[in-house]
């Protein structure tokens, strides 16, 4: 299929706001694609070429796109930069320029999806000396053959600024719609995605043999999407929800998913990046496990033997960066607290109850010096839960995770299989994890930093959109303020992402990428923000303060709008 035909539909989708309508339009596209095209379009809709763990990055900045546009259109780079700075969006800039080219291309052809994908792959794989020239040349060649809308989407994709209103959840719905005209296959598609973290692969397999999608298997070296924890506010609430349950310490480290086959080991972060090179000490220990194939999960954190205390995730990573991997692994060895098992020597454990998974990890761990087992106790009353919580806090850990012992591994979902209880919950100060959607310029003493605060949003799972909840102007150190501007500037966009709902505007919008932990004192009713009650009352965090960046968290793993609603009710109860 021609890429321009896809772009026509994307243009129409941009003008729509209803999720069902978008899903159906997307389903129509899918119905016209071969399995291999469906795979590639899925990745492109996700704004990538492969899942994160392939480590494929375009490595292209705005300057490259401008240079390629200059080659293809005959405009000078300065002219293009001027149009860009007026429009503020590289996609719209490309759209305009390709429409008014000053030169005719010597070689031009109608681009298929494969053509576009393969050229992008070529760009992304170019590395080392001469790679810049190769990247610009490949992009210029593409621009030589594009229509204006194609140029718009291509330039946005390579800069990772696609900004359509299409999240993974909408893609999963659309795949099911394409075959069935409803969402009946969504459950199987979602499971396949949860087991592989590879939505392109799922689309390809589905269009090759849709009847078999229910038989998708777990695979070593394909990361399982991590189970997510719900939050409740105290031991009573947890016990009311779960009854007797397993209660584990919540370690404030780095969540890792470990895959081993023979003596090959891969370690995935929560965002599915390949972390093996950063954790060589863990790789070495895992190699020694006697099991041939295993997938397990745990929290990694550095331990200071002299002081007999753990370092937090931030401290751990800081040391690894500052002192180098080898020195850091010697002086501050990492401990992994294993808390789950997904696969062992040919057997898929994800559908087995937590109880059986726990028994299985207890047979394998602790192992060697650094593969430990998470501290776990069976709770038969709210008091039992409270006791583990108090112990954890006494050890300077952040809290506990209670686990439903009958639940399977709820990959990619919350579902109350795991419930977290942190020190801060239900207290005068609580926290949310929110995505940064924009930033404000500094005033007064902050003028020198060019940064005065951030606008943050939470995730509405039902609508697959992000909703603003707070403007955060305090809690930043001077060092953070200076660093923030630099970091956020590379992500600036003129229009916010289409899947963001907002009433207030920051000075600059940014691509939704960074997750921040925000502390606050209360939740109030406000018309400023779009995170709201069903009756249309909006919520806002009262006295929001920046705590830290959660670089380990993906934007879809942040606090949800329904969690905010629950917190509001709870805090209201406490206020009476
Ligand atoms: P949060 O990051 O606040 O949403 O809390 C969930 C995270 O706690 C998980 O993603 C893990 O990284 C971490 N965690 C720490 N200890 C445990 C444990 N014993 N079981 C499960 N997750 C844990």
């Amino acid at each position: 299929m021609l890429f321009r035909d896809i772009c026509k539909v994307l243009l129409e989708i941009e003008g729509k706001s209803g999720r069902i309508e978008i899903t159906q339009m997307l389903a129509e596209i899918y119905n016209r694609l071969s399995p291999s095209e469906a795979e590639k379009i899925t990745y492109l809709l996700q704004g990538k070429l492969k899942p994160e763990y392939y480590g494929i990055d375009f490595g292209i900045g705005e300057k490259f796109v401008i240079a390629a546009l200059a080659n293809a259109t005959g405009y000078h780079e300065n002219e293009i930069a001027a149009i860009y700075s007026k429009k503020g969006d590289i996609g719209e800039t490309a759209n305009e320029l390709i429409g008014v080219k000053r030169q005719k291309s010597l070689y031009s052809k109608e681009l298929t999806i494969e053509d576009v994908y393969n050229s992008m792959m070529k760009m992304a794989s170019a590395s080392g000396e001469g790679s810049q020239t190769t990247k610009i040349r490949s992009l210029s060649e593409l621009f030589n053959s594009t229509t204006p809308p194609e140029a718009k989407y291509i330039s946005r994709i390579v800069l990772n600024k696609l900004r359509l209103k299409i999240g993974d959840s909408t893609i999963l719905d659309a795949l099911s719609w394409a075959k069935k005209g409803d969402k009946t296959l969504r459950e199987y598609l979602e499971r396949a995605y949860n087991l592989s973290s590879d939505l392109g692969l799922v689309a390809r397999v589905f269009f090759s043999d849709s009847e078999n999608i229910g038989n998708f298997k777990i695979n070593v070296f394909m990361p399982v999407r991590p189970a997510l924890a719900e939050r409740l506010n105290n031991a009573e609430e947890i016990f009311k929800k779960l009854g007797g349950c397993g209660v584990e310490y919540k370690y404030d480290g780095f969540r890792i998913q470990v895959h081993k086959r023979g003596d090959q080991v891969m370690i995935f972060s929560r965002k599915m990046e390949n972390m093996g090179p950063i954790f060589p000490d863990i790789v070495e220990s895992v190699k020694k496990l006697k099991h041939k194939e295993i997938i397990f999960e745990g929290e990694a954190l550095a331990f200071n033997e002299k002081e007999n205390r753990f370092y937090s995730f931030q401290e751990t990573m800081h040391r690894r960066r500052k002192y180098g991997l080898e020195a850091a692994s010697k002086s501050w060895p990492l401990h992994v607290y294993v808390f789950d098992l997904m696969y062992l020597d040919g057997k898929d454990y994800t559908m087995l109850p937590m109880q059986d998974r726990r028994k299985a990890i207890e047979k394998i761990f602790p192992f060697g010096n650094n593969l430990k087992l998470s501290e776990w106790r069976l709770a038969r009353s709210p008091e039992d839960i409270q006791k583990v919580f108090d112990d954890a806090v006494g050890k300077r850990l952040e809290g506990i995770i209670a686990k439903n012992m009958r639940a399977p591994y709820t990959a990619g979902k919350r579902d109350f299989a795991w419930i977290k209880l942190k020190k801060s919950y239900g207290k005068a100060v609580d926290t949310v994890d929110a995505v940064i959607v924009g930033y404000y310029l500094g005033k007064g003493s902050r003028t020198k930093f060019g940064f005065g605060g951030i606008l943050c949003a939470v995730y509405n799972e039902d609508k697959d959109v992000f909703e603003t909840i707070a403007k955060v102007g305090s809690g930043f150190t001077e060092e953070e303020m200076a660093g923030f501007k630099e970091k956020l500037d590379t992500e600036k966009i003129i229009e916010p992402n289409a899947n963001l709902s907002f009433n207030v505007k920051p000075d600059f919008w940014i691509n939704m990428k960074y997750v921040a932990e925000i502390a606050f004192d209360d939740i109030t009713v406000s018309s400023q923000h779009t995170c709201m009650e069903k009756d249309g009352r909006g919520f806002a965090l009262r006295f929001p303060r920046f705590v830290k960046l959660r670089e380990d968290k993906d934007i879809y793993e942040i606090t949800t709008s329904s969690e905010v609603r629950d917190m509001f009710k709870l805090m209201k109860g406490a206020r009476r």
Side-chain angles (χ1 to χ4, degrees), residues 413-524:
K413 281 205 216 107
R414 288 167 219 267
D415 263 1
F416 285 102
W418 296 4
I419 304 177
K420 57 186 172 184
L421 176 63
K422 289 207 218 175
K423 273 184 283 200
S424 56
Y425 294 173
K427 297 268 159 39
V429 177
D430 205 334
T431 64
V432 292
D433 294 326
V435 64
I436 306 179
V437 300
Y439 79 89
Y440 295 89
L441 287 171
K443 291 194 189 109
S445 63
R446 290 186 177 183
T447 315
K448 65 174 185 279
F449 301 112
F451 173 83
I454 49 180
L455 180 64
C456 293
V458 290
Y459 179 52
N460 185 324
E461 282 181 304
D462 301 330
K463 297 189 184 155
D464 196 13
V465 296
F466 292 83
E467 301 176 330
T468 71
I469 181 80
K471 183 178 163 182
V472 187
S474 60
F476 306 95
T477 60
E478 293 212 338
E479 200 186 343
E480 275 165 349
M481 282 198 266
F484 255 70
K485 176 163 167 55
E486 215 172 288
K487 224 181 179 97
L488 302 185
D489 270 353
T490 59
E491 300 298 329
K492 261 193 204 163
I493 45 183
I494 283 287
E495 292 293 326
N497 287 36
N499 55 353
L500 174 74
S501 148
F502 64 95
N503 294 332
V504 279
K505 288 187 178 174
D507 291 326
F508 298 105
W509 293 107
I510 64 155
N511 236 343
M512 291 193 281
K513 174 170 174 183
Y514 294 108
V515 175
E517 185 176 327
I518 309 294
F520 58 95
D521 289 356
D522 200 351
I523 298 176
T524 54

Side-chain angles (χ1 to χ4, degrees), residues 83 136 201 224 238 240 250 323 355 386 471 533:
I83 299 177
I136 295 175
L201 173 76
V224 177
I238 294 179
K240 217 156 99 196
K250 185 174 191 307
Y323 301 103
Q355 194 164 294
Q386 186 64 39
K471 183 178 163 182
E533 197 63 283

Side-chain angles (χ1 to χ4, degrees), residues 226-230 247-256 270 297-301 337-340 358 374-376 398-403 414 418 420 422 425 431 433 517 550 552-553 557-559:
L228 305 177
E230 301 264 9
V247 184
E248 300 185 20
Y249 285 171
K250 185 174 191 307
Y251 302 92
D252 178 18
F254 192 94
R255 181 173 184 168
I256 55 171
R270 186 171 171 152
E297 211 178 18
E299 193 83 359
L301 58 166
Y337 288 85
V338 178
F339 56 71
D340 220 317
R358 179 75 201 183
S374 67
E375 184 70 30
W376 178 92
E398 29 167 30
I400 51 166
I401 305 236
K403 299 195 173 168
R414 288 167 219 267
W418 296 4
K420 57 186 172 184
K422 289 207 218 175
Y425 294 173
T431 64
D433 294 326
E517 185 176 327
R550 289 287 313 256
D552 59 320
K553 268 206 170 180
E557 289 180 50
I558 60 176
T559 303

Side-chain angles (χ1 to χ4, degrees), residues 83-369:
I83 299 177
Y84 174 40
S85 87
K86 213 159 79 205
K87 289 199 176 291
D89 175 56
I90 197 75
E92 293 303 340
T93 309
N95 187 55
E96 178 174 315
L97 285 164
I98 295 292
V100 290
K101 275 186 195 176
R102 280 190 187 140
Q103 66 189 29
K104 269 237 167 297
S105 323
L106 288 178
Y107 176 72
S108 165
K109 64 170 200 163
E110 293 193 318
L111 297 168
T112 62
I113 295 171
E114 309 269 345
D115 290 334
V116 172
Y117 183 87
N118 292 343
S119 295
M120 288 186 175
M121 206 44 149
K122 205 160 121 196
M123 271 177 244
S125 350
S127 65
E129 214 179 304
S131 66
Q132 294 201 3
T133 322
T134 313
K135 284 179 202 276
I136 295 175
R137 195 184 319 121
S138 307
L139 193 53
S140 315
E141 280 165 14
L142 272 183
F143 285 144
N144 274 338
S145 298
T146 55
T147 55
E150 288 176 287
K152 165 173 164 172
Y153 291 115
I154 288 173
S155 45
R156 281 191 185 165
I157 291 172
V158 298
L159 290 178
N160 207 350
K161 291 184 175 171
L162 190 58
R163 309 189 352 230
L164 290 170
K165 208 172 190 164
I166 303 173
D168 292 352
S169 174
T170 307
I171 296 179
L172 285 166
D173 282 351
L175 292 174
S176 176
W177 265 93
K179 282 278 171 203
K180 290 276 177 187
D182 58 32
K183 290 203 245 167
T184 43
L185 293 180
R186 155 97 198 216
E187 180 192 339
Y188 304 109
L189 286 159
E190 195 170 324
R191 176 156 166 79
Y193 182 35
N194 287 339
L195 289 182
S196 63
S197 306
D198 189 339
L199 201 48
L201 173 76
V202 172
R204 175 160 53 84
V205 170
F206 183 59
F207 286 108
S208 309
D209 182 6
S210 60
E211 295 303 316
N212 248 329
I213 194 69
N215 297 325
F216 200 95
K217 297 270 179 302
I218 190 167
N219 271 295
V220 178
F221 303 137
M222 267 194 192
V224 177
R225 293 180 73 217
L228 305 177
E230 301 264 9
R231 55 171 278 166
L232 284 175
N233 296 287
N234 52 50
E236 285 77 32
E237 278 186 22
I238 294 179
F239 193 75
K240 217 156 99 196
K241 190 87 196 171
L242 298 183
C245 55
V247 184
E248 300 185 20
Y249 285 171
K250 185 174 191 307
Y251 302 92
D252 178 18
F254 192 94
R255 181 173 184 168
I256 55 171
Q257 196 179 108
V258 181
H259 290 229
K260 168 185 191 276
R261 174 179 289 143
D263 63 0
Q264 256 182 302
V265 174
M266 271 184 95
I267 295 184
F268 299 104
S269 74
R270 186 171 171 152
K271 281 168 140 175
M272 313 300 174
E273 298 132 334
N274 175 12
M275 303 300 287
I278 299 172
F279 295 149
D281 33 353
I282 300 176
V283 170
E284 281 316 304
S285 311
V286 173
K287 274 188 189 165
K288 296 191 187 111
L289 281 172
K290 66 175 192 304
H291 299 275
K292 193 168 172 298
E293 291 188 329
I294 187 167
I295 305 178
F296 66 90
E297 211 178 18
E299 193 83 359
L301 58 166
F303 187 73
N304 183 320
E305 283 169 14
K306 263 194 226 133
E307 295 172 29
N308 193 27
R309 76 169 182 103
F310 293 113
Y311 286 118
S312 70
F313 164 70
Q314 258 81 8
E315 288 172 304
T316 305
M317 297 316 277
H318 175 71
R319 286 193 162 71
R320 297 217 145 203
R321 274 194 293 264
K322 187 161 173 199
Y323 301 103
L325 289 178
E326 218 169 293
S329 12
K330 281 214 182 82
S331 309
W332 301 282
L334 281 184
H335 288 189
V336 180
Y337 288 85
V338 178
F339 56 71
D340 220 317
L341 177 74
M342 287 88 142
Y343 178 83
L344 184 65
D345 287 335
K347 184 168 167 182
D348 180 352
Y349 272 70
T350 57
M351 297 305 276
L352 296 184
M354 180 75 228
Q355 194 164 294
D356 296 3
R357 305 201 308 276
R358 179 75 201 183
K359 265 192 215 136
I361 51 173
E362 284 182 354
K363 284 196 193 134
I364 306 171
F365 304 100
F367 180 84
N369 289 336

